[in-house]
Amino acid sequence: MAQQMIKGSCLCGQASFQIDMSFQAFKYCHCSRCRKATGSAHASNIFVLPEHFRWISGEKNITRYDVPEAMSFATCFCKICGSPMPHETRSGEQIVVPAGSIDDDPGQHPENNIFWKSRASWYLEPDEITKYDAY
Ligand SMILES: [Zn+2]
Ligand SMILES: [Zn+2]
């Protein structure tokens, strides 16, 4: 059976990639490193096997940063627009894909929040605050 593929890309569009829909996991991570790396309340990460990921374009513009004191924390980003991009874990066992970079509907939802105890002191769950359809 053919695997279903979905596409992702960075803000400037130079970097793009394809992943197989068979995710290993989909999580929100509230750790302080993910907050720094994303500039947001939490990371939204999809985990796939390396054989289920491939670059389509712009791989040469991707920069990797490994946090020296971390066991495995790393981030990759487009050096033109700064968007977080997929990176291989140091073990090489998985690819961590920032869900916000996905262009298609992955048809799946996050399963859980990890490092919940480390969440930002200012964080509120979406249901706790007013929602507007635009600005
Ligand atoms: Zn870019
Ligand atoms: Zn994290």
Side-chain angles (χ1 to χ4, degrees), residues 42-84:
H42 58 77
S44 305
N45 286 331
I46 292 168
F47 298 77
V48 297
L49 294 172
E51 59 264 38
H52 292 158
F53 169 83
R54 76 175 183 90
W55 289 107
I56 297 170
S57 65
E59 189 180 356
K60 66 179 193 312
N61 295 323
I62 302 300
T63 298
R64 181 183 175 104
Y65 175 69
D66 283 90
V67 176
E69 65 274 21
M71 263 173 62
S72 71
F73 195 95
T75 182
C76 277
F77 54 92
C78 171
K79 68 183 178 194
I80 299 167
C81 68
S83 304

Side-chain angles (χ1 to χ4, degrees), residues 17 19 53 55 62 76-77 84-88 95-98 101:
F17 60 88
I19 56 171
F53 169 83
W55 289 107
I62 302 300
C76 277
F77 54 92
M85 286 279 100
H87 72 270
E88 189 175 47
I95 307 290
V96 183
V97 182
S101 65

Side-chain angles (χ1 to χ4, degrees), residues 29-31 34 73 115:
C29 183
H30 293 260
C31 83
C34 280
F73 195 95
F115 288 95

